[in-house]
C-alpha cells in the first residue's frame, strides 16, 4: 500500500541531501556521489574514485570523510529531519 506521507518524507530528505551536496566543494561532492552511488551512478571504491579524480586512495578517503563531516554538521543544524 502506498503511503503518501512516507513518499513525501522521502522527497523532502532527498531534496535536503541535494542541498547539502550543493554546498560541498565540487570534487568532494563527486566523491560522495560516486562512493554512495547517487544520481544513478554505480557505487565506487575509494581506489577507483581516487584514480578518477587523480588522487591516491588515502587522499580520496580523507576528502570523503571531510565531506561527510561537513554534511553531518549541516544536518545537525536542522533538527526537523
Amino acid at each position: 500500500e502506498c503511503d503518501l506521507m512516507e513518499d513525501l518524507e522521502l522527497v523532502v530528505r532527498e531534496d535536503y541531501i541535494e542541498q547539502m551536496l550543493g554546498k560541498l566543494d565540487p570534487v568532494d561532492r563527486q566523491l560522495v556521489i560516486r562512493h554512495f552511488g547517487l544520481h544513478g551512478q554505480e557505487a565506487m571504491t575509494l581506489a577507483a574514485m581516487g584514480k578518477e579524480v587523480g588522487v591516491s586512495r588515502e587522499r580520496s578517503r580523507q576528502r570523503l570523510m571531510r565531506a561527510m563531516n561537513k554534511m553531518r554538521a549541516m544536518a545537525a543544524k536542522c533538527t526537523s529531519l
Side-chain angles (χ1 to χ4, degrees):
E1 183 174 304
C2 182
D3 185 340
L4 184 58
M5 289 306 292
E6 285 180 15
D7 291 347
L8 180 59
E9 186 176 313
L10 181 59
V11 168
V12 169
R13 286 177 190 245
E14 287 175 356
D15 183 58
Y16 187 65
I17 290 170
E18 287 302 317
Q19 288 179 28
M20 288 192 296
L21 285 171
K23 294 177 182 177
L24 296 176
D25 171 272
V27 173
D28 292 346
R29 181 182 320 119
Q30 280 305 311
L31 289 172
V32 172
I33 290 168
R34 297 286 197 187
H35 185 69
F36 292 102
L38 304 175
H39 299 164
Q41 302 280 335
E42 187 171 325
M44 295 177 74
T45 65
L46 292 169
M49 291 187 312
K51 187 174 183 179
E52 186 174 272
V53 298
V55 298
S56 69
R57 178 200 174 281
E58 177 59 19
R59 185 65 183 136
S60 65
R61 184 195 67 77
Q62 291 169 354
R63 290 195 70 162
L64 178 63
M65 291 301 103
R66 181 179 71 180
M68 294 303 300
N69 286 335
K70 286 180 182 179
M71 291 180 74
R72 283 185 194 101
M74 287 182 244
K77 292 178 183 177
C78 182
T79 58
S80 64
L81 294 177

